[in-house]
Amino acid sequence: FLYGALHRAGFASAAVSTSREDGLELLDARITNAVRCVPPANQPTPAEVERCFPFLRREIELARDVRVVLCLGGLAWKAALRFLRESEFAVPRPAPKFGHGAECRVAGAPLLLGAFHPSQLNTRTGRLTAPMFDAVLKRARRELDALRSA
């Protein structure tokens, strides 16, 4: 589901990945996690989120020229907002709410886009459909294309 959508939006060289050696490349994209473990019931504790945050912060800092951050799920949205706040960007209060298609634009910071997580639970129940996910990825692509042409 994820790589198919990334491919349709021009962010992946192929629609399917079968192994680390299959040649798939991400294009204008990088994938990271706000939480790096798979906790019981897939619900990380606040302590797990806290332990993983320095790794997320460092990955974002190492990625050069980040223009758009696509947050897959509410946990990722909160982590991205925290990163912006701790990086001294003027994140509005109250914080922008997560939702599929949500956007948060803060002066000087990457555009944050929200999307429901492409988990099996969300895709099999129809909470997240391919057209819904494609629309958010197309929004990210338009943003990047506009920044390149500016």
Side-chain angles (χ1 to χ4, degrees):
F1 190 94
L2 176 61
Y3 284 101
L6 290 171
H7 181 67
R8 288 189 299 275
F11 289 113
S13 63
V16 175
S17 180
T18 56
S19 75
R20 294 173 85 165
E21 294 81 29
D22 64 10
L24 181 137
E25 292 182 42
L26 292 177
L27 311 166
D28 294 329
R30 180 182 184 106
I31 296 175
T32 189
N33 297 7
V35 176
R36 296 174 178 277
C37 61
V38 181
N42 208 24
Q43 292 297 317
T45 66
E48 289 168 326
V49 173
E50 191 61 33
R51 267 193 309 274
C52 291
F53 188 75
F55 297 100
L56 176 65
R57 180 188 310 115
R58 186 70 180 135
E59 275 204 52
I60 295 171
E61 290 168 350
L62 289 171
R64 305 232 187 268
D65 300 322
V66 175
R67 303 288 186 238
V68 178
V69 175
L70 175 60
C71 302
L72 301 180
L75 191 142
W77 182 261
K78 287 178 186 174
L81 289 172
R82 177 181 173 187
F83 173 81
L84 292 181
R85 251 187 243 105
E86 290 185 8
S87 299
E88 301 187 9
F89 289 101
V91 176
R93 296 261 186 207
K97 290 186 187 247
F98 171 76
H100 187 79
E103 294 188 17
C104 175
R105 191 177 295 274
V106 175
L111 170 66
L112 297 187
L113 295 175
F116 292 145
H117 191 283
S119 67
Q120 287 185 354
L121 176 64
N122 285 342
T123 58
R124 287 187 178 167
T125 61
R127 181 170 192 225
L128 178 63
T129 64
M132 290 169 65
F133 202 54
D134 288 349
V136 174
L137 288 170
K138 285 178 187 172
R139 172 70 184 97
R141 174 55 64 199
R142 281 193 311 271
E143 181 73 15
L144 291 175
D145 291 346
L147 289 168
R148 279 200 185 103
S149 66

